[in-house]
């Protein structure tokens, strides 16, 4: 199974990206945090677990020793208070980065995020800025039940004044995080916990990846898939096997939930005439729903088939392994959906599914397959 060809992609210094180091997503985030803190003394971290040996999935490892307790602040379980302190610090000219172990914990501080962080610039006629980054973890894994594994990005994407990013690739994880820290707006950064395990080519030193929206992970002319976060890796695997039966998928990594830049998606759908969105959250009122709505609004005449959404099954996230099958979209269900959208023959779809079943093997359903380590 081949990985995305990065040989023609360029790093920030003009060097081919394929020449950059190969590191994992968690280390890319840690480097981004360290780089931003080295460059600007107003940047500091707060979070539960910064001093813990697990170091927030490894993303804050060593930062306490490198920058001291005044700039890498271990916090008690008090999310509402922590967010309030961070908003006040940002309004006072600091650039705090908060780490929340699960997206659900942000719900304890939703009023401050929505009414104070998101609106201060607007209600002060631009006099106040809130340069704040709130990192949140989403996604599944062993023992992650209905209150610890949800993907709630569409909640935060709803509010003007917030930027919401969901980097998939390690290079973006570092570059977009630095860009978010240097941005004067509050930015919600959502990381899928299984992505921390993936590897990719990441340039050293300071670089920024603009918070400007979608990127094409794989070009194709038969169907457009718009994926978010970890679901891009499942879609990528499906796309590579579908190509063996002559179906070329154009895979677009959304990267930014808000602001939502639809231009690359509309251009792609204008060529393929078919759209599939693959969410890490639920379909109703979700990110994919918004993408489908805007495509129907602005590119209806280009569509050869109704847009289709794939997302979590419409019930709370299960804890039990026995209840997980069928709940999450995967490479197999994505390939089947593409087959229906593109009118592939039953024999072609069967061949693709058989290949994917063989490739997936006996991997436990609550751990990431080795394929998804990358490099990406």
């Amino acid at each position: 199974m081949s990985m995305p060809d990065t040989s023609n992609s360029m790093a920030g210094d003009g060097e081919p990206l394929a020449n950059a180091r190969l590191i994992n997503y968690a280390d890319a985030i840690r480097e981004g945090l360290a780089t931003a803190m080295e460059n600007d003394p107003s940047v500091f971290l707060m979070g539960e677990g910064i001093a813990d040996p697990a170091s927030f999935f490894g993303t804050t490892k060593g930062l306490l020793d490198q920058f001291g307790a005044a700039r890498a602040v271990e916090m008690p379980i008090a999310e509402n208070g922590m967010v309030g302190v961070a908003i006040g610090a940002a309004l006072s000219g600091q650039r705090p980065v908060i780490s929340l172990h699960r997206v659900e914990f942000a719900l304890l501080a939703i009023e401050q995020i929505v009414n104070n962080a998101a609106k201060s610039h607007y209600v002060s006629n631009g006099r106040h800025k809130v340069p704040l980054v709130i990192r949140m973890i989403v996604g599944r894994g062993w023992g992650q039940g209905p209150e610890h594994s949800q993907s709630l990005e569409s909640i935060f994407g709803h509010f003007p004044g917030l930027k919401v990013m969901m980097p998939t690739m390690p290079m973006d994880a570092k570059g977009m995080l630095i860009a978010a820290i240097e941005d004067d707006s509050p930015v919600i950064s959502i990381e899928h916990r299984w992505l921390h395990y993936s590897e990719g080519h990441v340039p050293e030193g300071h670089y920024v990846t603009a918070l400007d929206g979608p990127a094409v992970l794989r070009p194709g002319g038969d169907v457009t898939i718009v994926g978010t976060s970890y679901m891009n890796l499942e879609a990528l695997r499906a796309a590579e096997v579908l190509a063996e039966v002559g179906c070329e998928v154009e895979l677009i990594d959304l990267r930014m939930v808000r602001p939502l830049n639809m231009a690359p998606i509309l251009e792609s759908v204008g060529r393929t005439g078919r759209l599939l969105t693959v969410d890490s959250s639920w379909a109703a009122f979700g990110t994919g729903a918004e993408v489908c709505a805007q495509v129907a609004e602005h590119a209806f005449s280009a569509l050869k088939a109704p847009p289709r959404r794939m997302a979590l099954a419409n019930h709370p996230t299960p804890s039990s392994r026995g209840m997980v099958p069928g709940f999450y979209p995967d490479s197999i269900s994505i390939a089947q959906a593409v087959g229906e959208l593109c009118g592939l023959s039953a024999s072609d779809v069967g061949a693709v599914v058989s290949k994917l079943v063989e490739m997936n093997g006996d991997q436990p359903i609550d751990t990431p397959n080795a394929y998804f380590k990358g490099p990406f």
Side-chain angles (χ1 to χ4, degrees):
M1 174 64 63
S2 62
M3 299 298 165
D5 180 8
T6 58
S7 58
N8 293 323
S9 301
M10 308 301 286
D13 57 3
E15 290 294 318
L17 179 56
N19 293 342
R21 299 160 306 146
L22 194 64
I23 63 174
N24 69 34
Y25 191 97
D27 285 341
I29 290 174
R30 183 183 52 75
E31 275 198 3
L33 291 171
T35 300
M37 295 175 78
E38 288 167 350
N39 284 0
D40 185 349
S42 71
V43 178
F44 70 94
L45 312 181
M46 291 198 301
E48 301 150 5
I50 285 179
D52 187 89
S55 59
F56 205 82
F57 299 95
T59 61
T60 60
K61 186 177 182 179
L63 298 180
L64 177 61
D65 291 336
Q66 184 176 354
F67 295 99
R71 294 188 65 196
V73 186
E74 177 67 32
M75 295 296 292
I77 300 174
E79 287 80 5
N80 195 25
M82 179 164 56
V83 171
V85 169
I87 292 172
L91 285 166
S92 301
Q94 303 297 302
R95 292 186 179 271
V97 181
I98 299 176
S99 298
L100 302 175
H101 264 264
R102 296 287 184 274
V103 70
E104 289 87 353
F105 301 168
L107 301 180
L108 297 165
I110 192 72
E111 193 277 334
Q112 296 212 59
I113 296 171
V114 169
N115 282 335
N116 296 327
K119 295 185 173 65
S120 289
H121 186 75
Y122 179 79
V123 301
S124 69
N125 195 26
R127 291 193 297 274
H128 294 161
K129 299 175 182 176
V130 185
L132 164 66
V133 176
I134 306 179
R135 297 176 55 212
M136 304 177 186
I137 305 299
V138 302
R140 57 176 157 159
W142 183 88
Q144 299 303 299
E147 298 172 350
H148 290 79
S149 61
Q150 300 169 94
S151 291
L152 304 177
E153 58 272 13
S154 60
I155 291 178
F156 301 99
H158 187 64
F159 296 104
L162 294 179
K163 295 181 180 178
V164 182
M165 68 183 205
M166 298 184 76
T168 302
M169 298 301 169
M171 181 183 178
D172 283 345
K174 177 179 175 180
M176 292 177 72
L177 179 59
I178 293 174
I181 293 171
E182 296 177 354
D183 199 289
D184 285 336
S185 302
V187 180
I188 307 296
S189 177
I190 296 181
E191 305 160 19
H192 194 291
R193 65 198 300 254
W194 279 11
L195 289 177
H196 290 122
Y197 168 79
S198 65
E199 292 184 343
H201 295 280
V202 178
E204 295 184 76
H206 179 276
Y207 68 92
V208 296
T209 303
L211 306 179
D212 60 0
V216 175
L217 295 183
R218 179 188 175 90
D222 293 318
V223 59
T224 301
I225 295 181
V226 178
T228 57
S229 192
Y230 169 76
M231 295 315 303
N232 281 304
L233 304 191
E234 296 279 0
L236 183 62
R237 191 175 215 192
E240 297 203 354
V241 180
L242 282 162
E244 296 177 10
V245 297
C247 181
E248 293 294 343
V249 171
E250 178 141 297
L251 176 58
I252 296 179
D253 178 3
L254 190 65
R255 299 200 303 184
M256 293 296 295
V257 173
R258 190 182 186 99
L260 179 57
N261 176 11
M262 286 294 298
I265 298 170
L266 294 172
E267 188 278 330
S268 177
V269 174
R271 286 186 287 103
T272 67
R274 301 178 180 90
L275 170 66
L276 172 67
T277 65
V278 189
D279 264 42
S280 53
S281 185
W282 291 286
F285 314 106
T287 305
E290 179 63 23
V291 170
C292 287
Q294 292 207 34
V295 167
E297 193 171 17
H298 301 294
F300 186 79
S301 61
L303 291 171
K304 301 173 183 174
R308 179 164 176 175
R309 293 171 286 164
M310 293 189 72
L312 306 185
N314 193 27
H315 60 74
T317 309
S319 298
S320 165
R321 285 177 174 169
M323 297 174 67
V324 168
F327 182 75
Y328 296 102
D330 61 12
S331 57
I332 295 172
S333 58
I334 292 169
Q336 290 171 325
V338 168
E340 293 171 7
L341 264 174
C342 295
L344 299 185
S345 68
S347 61
D348 279 347
V349 174
V352 170
V353 169
S354 295
K355 177 81 175 284
L356 289 169
V357 168
E358 179 185 353
M359 292 165 65
N360 288 345
D362 296 325
Q363 183 76 23
I365 203 162
D366 51 6
T367 59
N369 191 291
Y371 163 85
F372 298 112
K373 183 178 180 181
F376 293 102

